[in-house]
Structure formats: C-alpha cells, structure tokens
Amino acid sequence: MARDYYDALGVDRDASQDEVKSAYREKAREYHPDASDHENAQERFKEIQEAYEVLGDEEKREAYDQMGHDRFKQAEKQGFDPSEAGAGAGTGGGRSRGGMGGGGGLGDIFDDLFGGGFGGGGGPDAKTSVTVTLEDVYEGAEKEVTYTTTAECGTCDGTGAAEPSNARRCGTCGGSGRVEQRQRTPFGQATTVTECPDCGGSGTAYDEACGDCAGDGEVRDRVTRTVEIPAGVEDGTTLRLRDAGTEIHIEVRVEEHDIFERDGADVYYAHPVSFPQAVFGDTVTVPTLEGEVDMEVSAGTRSGETFRLSDRGIPRMQRRGRGDQYVRVEVVVPNPSDLTDEQREALSEFASAGGDEIEYDEGFLEKLKRGVFS
Ligand SMILES: [Zn+2]
Ligand SMILES: [Zn+2]
C-alpha cells in the first residue's frame, strides 16, 4: 500500500497541477470499482483518490514533497493537516480521522472555550466531563480525564481485513457499500437504497477479519490525560482539548460547597455571632477560599446584616481581579438548655434590668406590617 503518490497517479514529480488533475481523472475512470474489471480495483481506486487529495492540493503537495511519503502519512495520522480548509477530491478514500499514534506525544493545544458558542463545523471526536471543587475553581487545578477515541486500525489500514492486500470489492454491492431495492407500490415502482448487508457499507469484502479491530476498520482507545482547569471556570463550561488531531470536549462540573455559595466571581457565606457580639461588636474569624481572615463585626449589628470582604472572591475569567466575599451575620439565639447557671442568671438579670423591653418607633411597626423587615 505504501506507494508514492506520484507513482500512484503515474505523473512526474514536476507535473503541473493540470497534469495531476487529468492523470487523476484518467486513473479514476480506469479503476472505478463500479466499472473496472481490474484486480484490486477497489484498492487502487482508494489509492488514487488518496494520492489526488494530496497532490491536487498545492499546500498539501508542498508538505508532501518536503516530508516524503512515509513521514507525511505518519503526520497525517497524527492529525497534521496542511490546509485545514480541506478542498481535495471526492469522497475521502484513505483519510484517517486522526489516530492516537504512538504515545500521543505531540504537545496538545489547549484552548479554553467559555460559555459555549464555539465556531467551526463538526462535533467533537470524544466527550467527557470532569468534576471540580470550588477550591479548584479558586486556584485553578490539574485534573485527570478519561475518554474514548476512535481511530483507523493501523493493522489493516482501515480495511477490516486480516490481509489488507486480499481485501476486494464487495460482490453484493459492487463496492459502493449500498444496495438498491425495488418495490412495487400502489403509486408505481419505488427504489430504496440501504447499506449493503454483506460489507456493512464499507464496500470491501475479505475472507478473514482483522484480529485487532474485528473487521470494523476502527479501533477504540481509552485515553487518560491531565487537563488544566483554569481558575474562575463556571459550572457547565465546555473546555476543548486537541490531542493528536482528536478534538475532545470536556464539560466542567463544579461541586456544591459545604459552606460557600457562589455567584459568578462572588462568594456568599453566613457567619454565626452571639447576641453580645452583635451588641458590643467583635472581631470574628471568617473562612474564605484563601484561608481564615479576621472580620470586624460592628457594635449594634442586626441579624442578617451583610459585610463585604473585598477581593476575597473567585478570580474573574475575562477581566483582571477577583470577586468579593459577602458575609451575612446571623445572630444565634442560644438554646436555654445549653446555658450554664451563670449565663442563665446573667440573662435574668439583664431582663430584670429592663432588657426584655424592646424599644421601637412607628417606622419599625410599619415595616413589620409590610413584611419587608429583615
Ligand atoms: Zn483492523
Ligand atoms: Zn457490499
């Protein structure tokens, strides 16, 4: 199979694009599986198409000339594409859908895509998801992901045959992979085209299936990789990873946090304080994603009042800086059975000293009536 593309088309290395084109036409006509009686017509036809896809495209041809046949094919398998725009001829004969090639050692290109809306046609080759904590979101993280890729079987060159050289045109469909069925209906004769039952649509027949792919022509591979989770990533974001020509979409799921609630770059947290702390004010220790910080609760703080800790939130994705942390102070009323005798006595004294009388003005009652007091 490893024939030089120039030999496959029967042209010189300095042939013009027009010469390449007319050579391709001539050869394609000669070896078209539907018309040709040549032995291995199917295989030759594939070879010719493959050759023209490269030589018929000036950019690809240039890369091919520079790299030579074997290196070019190897690079193509690993996803190298000199002209992403594609052009080329007809139905892709031997174009592989990006193999995993060896150790997958080519550095991967990682672009972050936020909130969807990525251009470019075609879906991903593989999908997976990764779950991260809010701490991961705060700092950024490296996580392992596992996905399944599909690649052309290297053992049989995608033919599915144990002996690729013995693969031949399927007799049932003549190599087209499709069969027509004519049926009489009340409205006349109807023709339906279905996938060939003998070759499963590949157009190729063989005596023994390839052991590595069970005749599929494709192999599946479970791949585990480490991906970088950018700081500030939102729940539901899709990250796109390119790995040797394979595009993997990774959905990021952010776990709910035990004590923090997130809104964009801001973090919300409720902190309990005692009645005396709320009355007299105090310095309290508050957890943040970065660790504990001191916060001043001012004297006379009401339950439900919110304090802001600037720049203690999550890094912003699109802009510089961080969000804030909001701390809602909740005044905790102690359970009477938890009070010590001393505390109980002190509270009773506080009550008899007039502490059980609440002072309020008309405005307070108005607010209560409207239910907006918090
Ligand atoms: Zn195979
Ligand atoms: Zn068939």
Side-chain angles (χ1 to χ4, degrees):
M1 277 288 273
R3 277 231 296 175
D4 184 84
Y5 288 153
Y6 289 98
D7 292 341
L9 292 182
V11 292
D12 288 329
R13 294 191 79 83
D14 56 3
S16 71
Q17 285 303 102
D18 280 344
E19 284 171 317
V20 167
K21 198 171 178 176
S22 60
Y24 163 70
R25 282 201 182 135
E26 208 179 299
K27 293 273 184 197
R29 214 174 302 138
E30 196 184 338
Y31 289 100
H32 195 285
D34 288 351
S36 174
D37 291 319
H38 279 278
E39 233 187 12
N40 295 332
Q42 167 82 11
E43 201 194 326
R44 284 299 310 274
F45 185 69
K46 256 177 127 170
E47 193 185 33
I48 291 157
Q49 278 198 314
E50 200 181 303
Y52 183 66
E53 262 187 27
V54 175
L55 299 188
D57 181 305
E58 274 184 12
E59 273 178 277
K60 285 189 188 176
R61 184 179 175 181
E62 204 183 317
Y64 180 80
D65 286 347
Q66 272 172 21
M67 299 168 95
H69 187 81
D70 289 341
R71 268 187 63 215
F72 182 86
K73 286 212 64 161
Q74 189 62 28
E76 218 187 18
K77 267 202 172 148
Q78 292 179 345
F80 167 76
D81 190 351
S83 62
E84 205 74 56
T91 54
R95 277 197 45 134
S96 64
R97 263 181 70 215
M100 286 315 300
L106 302 183
D108 44 321
I109 306 152
F110 184 66
D111 16 342
D112 331 343
L113 271 162
F114 304 105
F118 23 89
D125 300 308
K127 272 187 183 175
T128 187
S129 68
V130 62
T131 302
V132 299
T133 63
L134 202 56
E135 280 83 0
D136 293 332
V137 170
Y138 180 78
E139 285 190 71
E142 287 192 340
K143 290 278 167 189
E144 277 199 344
V145 295
T146 301
Y147 49 86
T148 305
T149 58
T150 308
E152 188 184 90
C153 175
T155 312
C156 62
D157 282 334
T159 60
E163 286 290 336
S165 56
N166 291 341
R168 59 187 180 275
R169 180 152 51 103
C170 170
T172 310
C173 61
S176 69
R178 288 177 296 277
V179 286
E180 287 187 359
Q181 280 182 317
R182 289 198 180 76
Q183 281 179 309
R184 284 189 184 285
T185 76
F187 311 103
Q189 193 163 285
T191 306
T192 50
V193 179
T194 54
E195 191 181 271
C196 173
D198 285 345
C199 63
S202 70
T204 311
Y206 44 78
D207 299 322
E208 200 190 326
C210 166
D212 284 352
C213 64
D216 284 349
E218 285 184 334
V219 282
R220 268 161 278 282
D221 200 4
R222 293 280 286 170
V223 184
T224 300
R225 295 204 55 131
T226 303
V227 295
E228 208 167 300
I229 308 297
V233 69
E234 287 277 355
D235 181 49
T237 298
T238 299
L239 302 175
R240 193 174 61 173
L241 173 72
R242 280 213 201 90
D243 185 359
T246 308
E247 186 171 311
I248 303 109
H249 284 189
I250 302 156
E251 192 194 335
V252 179
R253 293 182 194 140
V254 182
E255 263 178 4
E256 268 193 30
H257 198 278
D258 287 342
I259 57 169
F260 296 123
E261 207 168 295
R262 175 193 193 179
D263 181 19
D266 294 331
V267 171
Y268 289 82
Y269 166 73
H271 193 80
V273 296
S274 68
F275 175 61
Q277 280 178 311
V279 174
F280 299 122
D282 198 5
T283 303
V284 295
T285 304
V286 170
T288 71
L289 284 165
E290 209 178 359
E292 292 183 328
V293 298
D294 284 345
M295 185 183 89
E296 291 301 318
V297 175
S298 41
T301 292
R302 288 196 318 267
S303 193
E305 213 168 299
T306 298
F307 294 84
R308 185 171 71 144
L309 299 172
S310 292
D311 301 325
R312 296 288 184 180
I314 291 164
R316 297 181 201 281
M317 294 249 46
Q318 318 287 17
R319 297 184 278 136
R320 291 165 69 88
R322 301 172 179 282
D324 303 321
Q325 177 165 328
Y326 291 93
V327 180
R328 197 179 67 240
V329 167
E330 303 277 2
V331 176
V332 176
V333 175
N335 191 325
S337 59
D338 292 341
L339 293 175
T340 64
D341 289 346
E342 211 180 333
Q343 288 172 330
R344 192 186 300 270
E345 214 166 288
L347 255 186
S348 305
E349 266 173 46
F350 171 71
S352 28
D356 56 352
E357 283 170 32
I358 298 167
E359 280 180 30
Y360 53 84
D361 55 23
E362 290 301 308
F364 182 90
L365 280 183
E366 277 299 302
K367 280 178 179 172
L368 267 188
K369 252 196 269 176
R370 293 202 306 266
V372 296
F373 190 85
S374 62

mmCIF file with all atom_site columns, all heavy atoms in Angstrom, residues 8 27 51 65 67 79 165 193 223 249 259 276 291 295 313 315 320 336 361:
data_model
loop_
_atom_site.group_PDB
_atom_site.id
_atom_site.type_symbol
_atom_site.label_atom_id
_atom_site.label_alt_id
_atom_site.label_comp_id
_atom_site.label_asym_id
_atom_site.label_entity_id
_atom_site.label_seq_id
_atom_site.pdbx_PDB_ins_code
_atom_site.Cartn_x
_atom_site.Cartn_y
_atom_site.Cartn_z
_atom_site.occupancy
_atom_site.B_iso_or_equiv
_atom_site.pdbx_formal_charge
_atom_site.auth_seq_id
_atom_site.auth_comp_id
_atom_site.auth_asym_id
_atom_site.auth_atom_id
_atom_site.pdbx_PDB_model_num
ATOM 1   N N   . ALA A 1 8   ? 1.425   6.469  -7.927  1.00 0.00 ? 8   ALA A N   1
ATOM 2   C CA  . ALA A 1 8   ? 0.020   6.048  -7.934  1.00 0.00 ? 8   ALA A CA  1
ATOM 3   C C   . ALA A 1 8   ? -0.745  6.725  -9.060  1.00 0.00 ? 8   ALA A C   1
ATOM 4   O O   . ALA A 1 8   ? -1.589  6.119  -9.717  1.00 0.00 ? 8   ALA A O   1
ATOM 5   C CB  . ALA A 1 8   ? -0.629  6.356  -6.593  1.00 0.00 ? 8   ALA A CB  1
ATOM 6   N N   . LYS A 1 27  ? -7.088  7.870  -14.364 1.00 0.00 ? 27  LYS A N   1
ATOM 7   C CA  . LYS A 1 27  ? -6.902  6.697  -13.491 1.00 0.00 ? 27  LYS A CA  1
ATOM 8   C C   . LYS A 1 27  ? -8.200  6.340  -12.775 1.00 0.00 ? 27  LYS A C   1
ATOM 9   O O   . LYS A 1 27  ? -8.537  5.172  -12.610 1.00 0.00 ? 27  LYS A O   1
ATOM 10  C CB  . LYS A 1 27  ? -5.820  6.988  -12.437 1.00 0.00 ? 27  LYS A CB  1
ATOM 11  C CG  . LYS A 1 27  ? -4.447  7.143  -13.019 1.00 0.00 ? 27  LYS A CG  1
ATOM 12  C CD  . LYS A 1 27  ? -3.763  5.796  -13.135 1.00 0.00 ? 27  LYS A CD  1
ATOM 13  C CE  . LYS A 1 27  ? -2.338  5.996  -13.648 1.00 0.00 ? 27  LYS A CE  1
ATOM 14  N NZ  . LYS A 1 27  ? -1.753  4.746  -14.149 1.00 0.00 ? 27  LYS A NZ  1
ATOM 15  N N   . ALA A 1 51  ? -4.050  9.773  -3.254  1.00 0.00 ? 51  ALA A N   1
ATOM 16  C CA  . ALA A 1 51  ? -2.942  10.483 -3.887  1.00 0.00 ? 51  ALA A CA  1
ATOM 17  C C   . ALA A 1 51  ? -3.396  11.855 -4.393  1.00 0.00 ? 51  ALA A C   1
ATOM 18  O O   . ALA A 1 51  ? -2.722  12.866 -4.203  1.00 0.00 ? 51  ALA A O   1
ATOM 19  C CB  . ALA A 1 51  ? -2.391  9.647  -5.046  1.00 0.00 ? 51  ALA A CB  1
ATOM 20  N N   . ASP A 1 65  ? 5.962   16.884 -0.521  1.00 0.00 ? 65  ASP A N   1
ATOM 21  C CA  . ASP A 1 65  ? 7.286   16.905 -1.163  1.00 0.00 ? 65  ASP A CA  1
ATOM 22  C C   . ASP A 1 65  ? 8.397   17.080 -0.125  1.00 0.00 ? 65  ASP A C   1
ATOM 23  O O   . ASP A 1 65  ? 9.453   16.465 -0.219  1.00 0.00 ? 65  ASP A O   1
ATOM 24  C CB  . ASP A 1 65  ? 7.362   18.049 -2.184  1.00 0.00 ? 65  ASP A CB  1
ATOM 25  C CG  . ASP A 1 65  ? 6.551   17.714 -3.433  1.00 0.00 ? 65  ASP A CG  1
ATOM 26  O OD1 . ASP A 1 65  ? 6.159   16.542 -3.581  1.00 0.00 ? 65  ASP A OD1 1
ATOM 27  O OD2 . ASP A 1 65  ? 6.300   18.622 -4.244  1.00 0.00 ? 65  ASP A OD2 1
ATOM 28  N N   . MET A 1 67  ? 8.243   16.386 3.160   1.00 0.00 ? 67  MET A N   1
ATOM 29  C CA  . MET A 1 67  ? 8.324   15.351 4.199   1.00 0.00 ? 67  MET A CA  1
ATOM 30  C C   . MET A 1 67  ? 8.600   13.967 3.638   1.00 0.00 ? 67  MET A C   1
ATOM 31  O O   . MET A 1 67  ? 9.143   13.113 4.331   1.00 0.00 ? 67  MET A O   1
ATOM 32  C CB  . MET A 1 67  ? 7.011   15.309 4.995   1.00 0.00 ? 67  MET A CB  1
ATOM 33  C CG  . MET A 1 67  ? 6.692   16.593 5.697   1.00 0.00 ? 67  MET A CG  1
ATOM 34  S SD  . MET A 1 67  ? 4.991   16.619 6.310   1.00 0.00 ? 67  MET A SD  1
ATOM 35  C CE  . MET A 1 67  ? 5.246   16.074 7.984   1.00 0.00 ? 67  MET A CE  1
ATOM 36  N N   . GLY A 1 79  ? -2.914  13.798 12.837  1.00 0.00 ? 79  GLY A N   1
ATOM 37  C CA  . GLY A 1 79  ? -3.789  14.953 12.821  1.00 0.00 ? 79  GLY A CA  1
ATOM 38  C C   . GLY A 1 79  ? -3.233  16.163 12.112  1.00 0.00 ? 79  GLY A C   1
ATOM 39  O O   . GLY A 1 79  ? -3.856  17.201 12.059  1.00 0.00 ? 79  GLY A O   1
ATOM 40  N N   . SER A 1 165 ? -4.101  -6.818 1.661   1.00 0.00 ? 165 SER A N   1
ATOM 41  C CA  . SER A 1 165 ? -3.846  -6.944 0.220   1.00 0.00 ? 165 SER A CA  1
ATOM 42  C C   . SER A 1 165 ? -4.862  -7.873 -0.441  1.00 0.00 ? 165 SER A C   1
ATOM 43  O O   . SER A 1 165 ? -5.048  -7.835 -1.659  1.00 0.00 ? 165 SER A O   1
ATOM 44  C CB  . SER A 1 165 ? -2.422  -7.442 -0.021  1.00 0.00 ? 165 SER A CB  1
ATOM 45  O OG  . SER A 1 165 ? -2.227  -8.660 0.659   1.00 0.00 ? 165 SER A OG  1
ATOM 46  N N   . VAL A 1 193 ? -32.634 2.722  -1.072  1.00 0.00 ? 193 VAL A N   1
ATOM 47  C CA  . VAL A 1 193 ? -31.206 2.426  -1.006  1.00 0.00 ? 193 VAL A CA  1
ATOM 48  C C   . VAL A 1 193 ? -30.850 2.177  0.456   1.00 0.00 ? 193 VAL A C   1
ATOM 49  O O   . VAL A 1 193 ? -31.150 2.990  1.313   1.00 0.00 ? 193 VAL A O   1
ATOM 50  C CB  . VAL A 1 193 ? -30.374 3.603  -1.555  1.00 0.00 ? 193 VAL A CB  1
ATOM 51  C CG1 . VAL A 1 193 ? -28.884 3.292  -1.460  1.00 0.00 ? 193 VAL A CG1 1
ATOM 52  C CG2 . VAL A 1 193 ? -30.767 3.890  -2.987  1.00 0.00 ? 193 VAL A CG2 1
ATOM 53  N N   . VAL A 1 223 ? -8.364  6.716  26.747  1.00 0.00 ? 223 VAL A N   1
ATOM 54  C CA  . VAL A 1 223 ? -7.212  7.575  26.976  1.00 0.00 ? 223 VAL A CA  1
ATOM 55  C C   . VAL A 1 223 ? -7.409  8.355  28.265  1.00 0.00 ? 223 VAL A C   1
ATOM 56  O O   . VAL A 1 223 ? -8.485  8.885  28.515  1.00 0.00 ? 223 VAL A O   1
ATOM 57  C CB  . VAL A 1 223 ? -7.035  8.578  25.805  1.00 0.00 ? 223 VAL A CB  1
ATOM 58  C CG1 . VAL A 1 223 ? -5.777  9.406  25.999  1.00 0.00 ? 223 VAL A CG1 1
ATOM 59  C CG2 . VAL A 1 223 ? -6.995  7.850  24.482  1.00 0.00 ? 223 VAL A CG2 1
ATOM 60  N N   . HIS A 1 249 ? -14.184 17.290 23.947  1.00 0.00 ? 249 HIS A N   1
ATOM 61  C CA  . HIS A 1 249 ? -14.911 18.307 24.706  1.00 0.00 ? 249 HIS A CA  1
ATOM 62  C C   . HIS A 1 249 ? -15.078 17.827 26.139  1.00 0.00 ? 249 HIS A C   1
ATOM 63  O O   . HIS A 1 249 ? -15.540 16.712 26.365  1.00 0.00 ? 249 HIS A O   1
ATOM 64  C CB  . HIS A 1 249 ? -16.277 18.582 24.088  1.00 0.00 ? 249 HIS A CB  1
ATOM 65  C CG  . HIS A 1 249 ? -16.161 19.418 22.848  1.00 0.00 ? 249 HIS A CG  1
ATOM 66  N ND1 . HIS A 1 249 ? -17.238 19.956 22.200  1.00 0.00 ? 249 HIS A ND1 1
ATOM 67  C CD2 . HIS A 1 249 ? -15.069 19.808 22.140  1.00 0.00 ? 249 HIS A CD2 1
ATOM 68  C CE1 . HIS A 1 249 ? -16.822 20.647 21.146  1.00 0.00 ? 249 HIS A CE1 1
ATOM 69  N NE2 . HIS A 1 249 ? -15.509 20.562 21.083  1.00 0.00 ? 249 HIS A NE2 1
ATOM 70  N N   . ILE A 1 259 ? -19.995 25.166 52.674  1.00 0.00 ? 259 ILE A N   1
ATOM 71  C CA  . ILE A 1 259 ? -20.314 26.414 53.394  1.00 0.00 ? 259 ILE A CA  1
ATOM 72  C C   . ILE A 1 259 ? -20.375 27.644 52.492  1.00 0.00 ? 259 ILE A C   1
ATOM 73  O O   . ILE A 1 259 ? -20.931 28.657 52.886  1.00 0.00 ? 259 ILE A O   1
ATOM 74  C CB  . ILE A 1 259 ? -19.313 26.683 54.546  1.00 0.00 ? 259 ILE A CB  1
ATOM 75  C CG1 . ILE A 1 259 ? -17.878 26.743 54.028  1.00 0.00 ? 259 ILE A CG1 1
ATOM 76  C CG2 . ILE A 1 259 ? -19.445 25.623 55.631  1.00 0.00 ? 259 ILE A CG2 1
ATOM 77  C CD1 . ILE A 1 259 ? -16.891 27.280 55.074  1.00 0.00 ? 259 ILE A CD1 1
ATOM 78  N N   . PRO A 1 276 ? -24.280 38.977 72.492  1.00 0.00 ? 276 PRO A N   1
ATOM 79  C CA  . PRO A 1 276 ? -23.343 40.013 72.980  1.00 0.00 ? 276 PRO A CA  1
ATOM 80  C C   . PRO A 1 276 ? -22.382 40.505 71.897  1.00 0.00 ? 276 PRO A C   1
ATOM 81  O O   . PRO A 1 276 ? -22.090 41.704 71.839  1.00 0.00 ? 276 PRO A O   1
ATOM 82  C CB  . PRO A 1 276 ? -22.565 39.291 74.090  1.00 0.00 ? 276 PRO A CB  1
ATOM 83  C CG  . PRO A 1 276 ? -23.458 38.180 74.520  1.00 0.00 ? 276 PRO A CG  1
ATOM 84  C CD  . PRO A 1 276 ? -24.192 37.743 73.286  1.00 0.00 ? 276 PRO A CD  1
ATOM 85  N N   . GLY A 1 291 ? -8.332  30.876 52.989  1.00 0.00 ? 291 GLY A N   1
ATOM 86  C CA  . GLY A 1 291 ? -7.960  30.641 54.379  1.00 0.00 ? 291 GLY A CA  1
ATOM 87  C C   . GLY A 1 291 ? -8.732  31.586 55.278  1.00 0.00 ? 291 GLY A C   1
ATOM 88  O O   . GLY A 1 291 ? -9.573  32.359 54.804  1.00 0.00 ? 291 GLY A O   1
ATOM 89  N N   . MET A 1 295 ? -12.518 39.548 60.641  1.00 0.00 ? 295 MET A N   1
ATOM 90  C CA  . MET A 1 295 ? -13.510 40.494 60.172  1.00 0.00 ? 295 MET A CA  1
ATOM 91  C C   . MET A 1 295 ? -14.114 41.226 61.375  1.00 0.00 ? 295 MET A C   1
ATOM 92  O O   . MET A 1 295 ? -14.379 40.623 62.402  1.00 0.00 ? 295 MET A O   1
ATOM 93  C CB  . MET A 1 295 ? -14.617 39.743 59.411  1.00 0.00 ? 295 MET A CB  1
ATOM 94  C CG  . MET A 1 295 ? -15.654 40.651 58.767  1.00 0.00 ? 295 MET A CG  1
ATOM 95  S SD  . MET A 1 295 ? -16.975 39.702 57.968  1.00 0.00 ? 295 MET A SD  1
ATOM 96  C CE  . MET A 1 295 ? -18.111 39.542 59.341  1.00 0.00 ? 295 MET A CE  1
ATOM 97  N N   . GLY A 1 313 ? -13.071 36.937 46.724  1.00 0.00 ? 313 GLY A N   1
ATOM 98  C CA  . GLY A 1 313 ? -13.864 36.006 45.909  1.00 0.00 ? 313 GLY A CA  1
ATOM 99  C C   . GLY A 1 313 ? -13.005 35.250 44.906  1.00 0.00 ? 313 GLY A C   1
ATOM 100 O O   . GLY A 1 313 ? -11.803 35.078 45.097  1.00 0.00 ? 313 GLY A O   1
ATOM 101 N N   . PRO A 1 315 ? -11.264 34.377 41.171  1.00 0.00 ? 315 PRO A N   1
ATOM 102 C CA  . PRO A 1 315 ? -10.661 35.136 40.062  1.00 0.00 ? 315 PRO A CA  1
ATOM 103 C C   . PRO A 1 315 ? -11.650 35.268 38.904  1.00 0.00 ? 315 PRO A C   1
ATOM 104 O O   . PRO A 1 315 ? -12.377 34.334 38.592  1.00 0.00 ? 315 PRO A O   1
ATOM 105 C CB  . PRO A 1 315 ? -9.468  34.270 39.650  1.00 0.00 ? 315 PRO A CB  1
ATOM 106 C CG  . PRO A 1 315 ? -9.165  33.415 40.827  1.00 0.00 ? 315 PRO A CG  1
ATOM 107 C CD  . PRO A 1 315 ? -10.467 33.204 41.539  1.00 0.00 ? 315 PRO A CD  1
ATOM 108 N N   . ARG A 1 320 ? -9.413  41.239 34.883  1.00 0.00 ? 320 ARG A N   1
ATOM 109 C CA  . ARG A 1 320 ? -8.454  41.056 35.972  1.00 0.00 ? 320 ARG A CA  1
ATOM 110 C C   . ARG A 1 320 ? -9.173  41.055 37.306  1.00 0.00 ? 320 ARG A C   1
ATOM 111 O O   . ARG A 1 320 ? -10.306 41.472 37.412  1.00 0.00 ? 320 ARG A O   1
ATOM 112 C CB  . ARG A 1 320 ? -7.438  42.190 35.950  1.00 0.00 ? 320 ARG A CB  1
ATOM 113 C CG  . ARG A 1 320 ? -6.518  42.152 34.766  1.00 0.00 ? 320 ARG A CG  1
ATOM 114 C CD  . ARG A 1 320 ? -5.815  43.477 34.612  1.00 0.00 ? 320 ARG A CD  1
ATOM 115 N NE  . ARG A 1 320 ? -4.861  43.704 35.699  1.00 0.00 ? 320 ARG A NE  1
ATOM 116 C CZ  . ARG A 1 320 ? -3.602  43.300 35.672  1.00 0.00 ? 320 ARG A CZ  1
ATOM 117 N NH1 . ARG A 1 320 ? -3.162  42.650 34.624  1.00 0.00 ? 320 ARG A NH1 1
ATOM 118 N NH2 . ARG A 1 320 ? -2.789  43.540 36.667  1.00 0.00 ? 320 ARG A NH2 1
ATOM 119 N N   . PRO A 1 336 ? -32.025 27.371 75.565  1.00 0.00 ? 336 PRO A N   1
ATOM 120 C CA  . PRO A 1 336 ? -32.000 27.561 77.028  1.00 0.00 ? 336 PRO A CA  1
ATOM 121 C C   . PRO A 1 336 ? -31.322 26.417 77.776  1.00 0.00 ? 336 PRO A C   1
ATOM 122 O O   . PRO A 1 336 ? -30.619 26.635 78.767  1.00 0.00 ? 336 PRO A O   1
ATOM 123 C CB  . PRO A 1 336 ? -33.487 27.615 77.395  1.00 0.00 ? 336 PRO A CB  1
ATOM 124 C CG  . PRO A 1 336 ? -34.191 27.976 76.148  1.00 0.00 ? 336 PRO A CG  1
ATOM 125 C CD  . PRO A 1 336 ? -33.369 27.475 75.003  1.00 0.00 ? 336 PRO A CD  1
ATOM 126 N N   . ASP A 1 361 ? -39.767 52.363 67.049  1.00 0.00 ? 361 ASP A N   1
ATOM 127 C CA  . ASP A 1 361 ? -40.558 53.530 66.656  1.00 0.00 ? 361 ASP A CA  1
ATOM 128 C C   . ASP A 1 361 ? -41.651 53.105 65.678  1.00 0.00 ? 361 ASP A C   1
ATOM 129 O O   . ASP A 1 361 ? -41.795 51.934 65.348  1.00 0.00 ? 361 ASP A O   1
ATOM 130 C CB  . ASP A 1 361 ? -39.641 54.609 66.059  1.00 0.00 ? 361 ASP A CB  1
ATOM 131 C CG  . ASP A 1 361 ? -38.823 54.062 64.907  1.00 0.00 ? 361 ASP A CG  1
ATOM 132 O OD1 . ASP A 1 361 ? -39.250 53.042 64.303  1.00 0.00 ? 361 ASP A OD1 1
ATOM 133 O OD2 . ASP A 1 361 ? -37.758 54.637 64.614  1.00 0.00 ? 361 ASP A OD2 1
#
